Amino acid sequence: TANSLHPGVVATNIMRNTNFRGGGAGWETPAQGAATSCYLASNPKLARVTGQYFADCNPADQSDYQKDPAMAARLWQVSTEITRQYLA
C-alpha cells in the first residue's frame, strides 16, 4: 500500500541551524509526530488501504494537488529519475 500523511508541526531540533524560532503551543512532541506514521505502518486494519491521506491517525481531506493525476504522474517521473541509481 502507499499512503501519505502529515505528522503535524513537530517540535524537534531540525530547525536548530536556522533563524526560525517557532515552537510552543500547538506543536506536537516527537512521539505525537510519529504516531500517524506508526499507525499506518502497523495497523492490520489498513493492510488494504492505499492512496489515502492521513492526519492525526485519521483519513483527511486531500488537496486539489493531491488529487491531480498530472501532478501524480510528474511526481512519479521525477521520483524514479532521482532514485534510479539506488534501485538498479
Side-chain angles (χ1 to χ4, degrees):
T1 63
N3 294 294
S4 62
L5 66 101
H6 190 297
V9 180
V10 183
T12 67
N13 287 332
I14 197 165
M15 301 296 280
R16 68 185 170 275
N17 295 320
T18 71
N19 292 328
F20 182 76
R21 298 290 177 243
W27 285 51
E28 306 279 348
T29 66
Q32 290 169 325
T36 302
S37 295
C38 293
Y39 172 72
L40 291 176
S42 63
N43 191 316
K45 291 180 182 177
L46 300 175
R48 298 192 192 288
V49 174
T50 192
Q52 299 299 310
Y53 175 67
F54 287 80
D56 294 323
C57 298
N58 291 295
D61 291 334
Q62 296 185 38
S63 72
D64 289 340
Y65 287 119
Q66 291 169 302
K67 296 183 276 186
D68 182 344
M71 180 78 72
R74 177 73 177 132
L75 176 59
W76 186 265
Q77 176 191 357
V78 170
S79 297
T80 56
E81 289 171 5
I82 291 170
T83 59
R84 181 173 288 123
Q85 67 181 344
Y86 303 104
L87 301 174

